[in-house]
């Protein structure tokens, strides 16, 4: 989808992909096979990033305001009702699954700051902080800072919804 957004954004496809395919993909996030979890999260991430880019007018293909509103509604409903409730489980999985989830959250927050309330409502602040430092290679001690987690935290702090002292209490310095 990321290489050919027209597949996703075609008027006969977009509602089917978001309302049917995405919920089916996230059902596989608790699969025992790690490759399946990564693939499902990667595809979900690609689809949602494509949707947010289309709504933001970042493609040559321009959608009508009605189509943008429709896509935004589908995306918000999916993220709010299906994906955010699974984040506590998702962020505990092996990399790169949590990073794909955080990338989706960054794109959603870039599009609409209302997601800040949803993140706090689902008590995900501590989980985002836990994802701030991630292993660069599975099983090795080398650590790096997750830019996606840092961006999510910036969104939370920027709007005044989270105070710096709250982050310090969670050991973010």
């Amino acid at each position: 989808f990321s290489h050919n957004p027209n597949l996703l954004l075609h008027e006969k496809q977009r509602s089917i992909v978001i309302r049917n395919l995405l919920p089916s993909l996230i059902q596989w996030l608790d699969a025992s096979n790690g490759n399946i979890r990564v693939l499902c999260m990667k595809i979900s991430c690609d689809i949602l990033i494509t949707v947010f880019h289309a709504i933001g007018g970042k493609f040559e293909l321009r959608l009508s305001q009605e189509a943008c509103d429709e896509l935004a509604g589908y995306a918000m409903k999916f993220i709010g009702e299906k994906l955010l409730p699974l984040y506590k489980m998702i962020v505990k999985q092996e990399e790169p699954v949590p990073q794909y989830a955080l990338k989706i959250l960054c794109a959603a927050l870039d599009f609409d700051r209302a997601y800040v309330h949803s993140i706090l409502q689902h008590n995900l602040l501590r989980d985002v902080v836990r994802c701030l430092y991630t292993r660069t290679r599975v099983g090795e001690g080398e650590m790096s800072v997750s830019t996606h987690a840092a961006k999510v935290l910036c969104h939370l702090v920027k709007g005044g919804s989270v105070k710096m002292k709250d982050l310090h209490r969670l050991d973010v310095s």
Side-chain angles (χ1 to χ4, degrees), residues 114-129:
Y115 286 104
V116 168
H117 176 71
S118 298
I119 292 167
L120 297 176
Q121 188 177 18
H122 284 89
N123 296 317
L124 296 175
L125 180 61
R126 182 177 300 277
D127 299 299
V128 173
V129 169

Side-chain angles (χ1 to χ4, degrees), residues 1-69:
F1 292 114
S2 58
H3 297 290
N4 189 353
N6 294 340
L7 290 173
L8 169 65
L9 301 175
H10 188 274
E11 66 181 276
K12 293 181 181 178
Q13 300 285 85
R14 57 182 169 245
S15 68
I16 294 169
V17 170
I18 295 176
R19 291 190 334 206
N20 298 324
L21 180 60
L22 283 175
S24 297
L25 286 170
I26 64 166
Q27 288 178 351
W28 288 94
L29 291 178
D30 63 352
S32 59
N33 185 318
N35 292 333
I36 291 173
R37 291 192 307 267
V38 170
L39 182 62
C40 289
M41 201 66 215
K42 168 74 170 115
I43 294 169
S44 299
C45 183
D46 284 350
I47 290 170
L48 287 166
I49 297 298
T50 300
V51 165
F52 287 123
H53 284 175
I55 294 169
K58 295 182 179 176
F59 293 126
E60 287 181 25
L61 171 72
R62 297 287 179 205
L63 298 175
S64 68
Q65 188 59 48
E66 183 181 321
C68 288
D69 293 344

Side-chain angles (χ1 to χ4, degrees), residues 102-122:
L102 289 165
K103 187 175 181 178
I104 292 169
L105 217 45
C106 286
L109 286 163
D110 286 342
F111 171 71
D112 187 351
R113 300 223 2 99
Y115 286 104
V116 168
H117 176 71
S118 298
I119 292 167
L120 297 176
Q121 188 177 18
H122 284 89

Side-chain angles (χ1 to χ4, degrees), residues 59-92:
F59 293 126
E60 287 181 25
L61 171 72
R62 297 287 179 205
L63 298 175
S64 68
Q65 188 59 48
E66 183 181 321
C68 288
D69 293 344
E70 177 188 41
L71 276 173
Y74 290 150
M76 288 183 76
K77 185 173 181 173
F78 171 75
I79 291 171
E81 294 177 9
K82 306 277 188 202
L83 196 58
L84 278 177
L86 297 176
Y87 262 65
K88 287 198 176 285
M89 180 262 300
I90 293 170
V91 297
K92 291 177 183 170

